[in-house]
Amino acid sequence: MIKDLRICFIGDSFTQGVGDPEFRGWVGRVLQATAAAAGPPEDLTAFNLGIRRNTSADVLRRIWPEVDARTLPGADNRLVVSVGANDTTLEDGRPRVAPDRCLENLAALLDGARERGLGVLVVGPPPVVGWGAEHLGRLLTLVERTAALCAARGVPFVDVTAAVAADPVWAAEAGGGDGAHPGAGGYRFLADLVLAGGWWEWLAGEAA
């Protein structure tokens, strides 16, 4: 049974669950599965800190005031991070955040989490279907480097980008909506990837 587990999820609109008619997104579905398997809901407190259009730089600017206010000494405090899709968006012909800077931002975030004793899990960024193959290529390159960074720091990484890009339900729902965000089926698929990608092992481990 979980004893006072607190999990902050921080990222962009995919973390927020934009587009889901059930208003659960992948985060809500992962939490629902966790509560069902792990014990009474009062032992699990979760905070969705996703903000639409946020890049890694935006997340780094706001993370610690938001996360510090939601952690509790003596609790099992955890942090789930998912960034990158907005970093690779082109503005004036260039990515909003350069790949090297994105990795620097993530490294700073991971270092800050270690200093605070937070157990961290990094979830790869879903692609934006409407931005096409070039966006996906930039994102996959960033994901490869992100995975290496996490491995070097001993932080678990859930690689979801390629699988989401190939999922017909995600593509159909996003394409039928705003071109970026899926509906319930797409988020259910992403939640299943996270749950099968090391979630339970991470949850069973000790915080950093």
Side-chain angles (χ1 to χ4, degrees), residues 127-154:
V128 179
V129 173
W131 292 343
E134 290 186 3
H135 162 72
L136 178 58
R138 290 192 299 274
L139 198 58
L140 289 172
T141 299
L142 179 64
V143 164
E144 184 177 355
R145 297 180 66 188
T146 298
L149 172 65
C150 290
R153 280 172 161 73

Side-chain angles (χ1 to χ4, degrees), residues 149-197:
L149 172 65
C150 290
R153 280 172 161 73
V155 173
F157 175 72
V158 184
D159 189 354
V160 303
T161 308
V164 169
D167 180 50
V169 173
W170 182 287
E173 289 182 345
D178 62 3
H181 304 97
Y187 281 118
R188 187 178 305 115
F189 178 76
L190 179 51
D192 288 343
L193 289 176
V194 174
L195 289 167

Side-chain angles (χ1 to χ4, degrees), residues 2-34:
I2 293 172
K3 291 297 183 183
D4 203 0
L5 172 64
R6 293 173 169 239
I7 310 176
C8 290
F9 295 79
I10 197 160
D12 52 27
S13 57
F14 291 122
T15 301
Q16 189 181 3
V18 169
D20 184 0
E22 299 177 9
F23 297 97
R24 290 192 289 158
W26 69 266
V27 169
R29 287 172 171 80
V30 166
L31 290 169
Q32 186 175 25
T34 302

Side-chain angles (χ1 to χ4, degrees), residues 91-155:
E91 285 187 349
D92 299 324
R94 294 182 299 180
R96 288 180 62 196
V97 178
D100 288 348
R101 178 55 60 86
C102 178
L103 294 168
E104 290 171 4
N105 292 336
L106 181 58
L109 190 155
L110 297 179
D111 290 345
R114 182 182 296 109
E115 291 170 3
R116 289 164 170 80
L118 301 177
V120 184
L121 177 71
V122 177
V123 175
V128 179
V129 173
W131 292 343
E134 290 186 3
H135 162 72
L136 178 58
R138 290 192 299 274
L139 198 58
L140 289 172
T141 299
L142 179 64
V143 164
E144 184 177 355
R145 297 180 66 188
T146 298
L149 172 65
C150 290
R153 280 172 161 73
V155 173

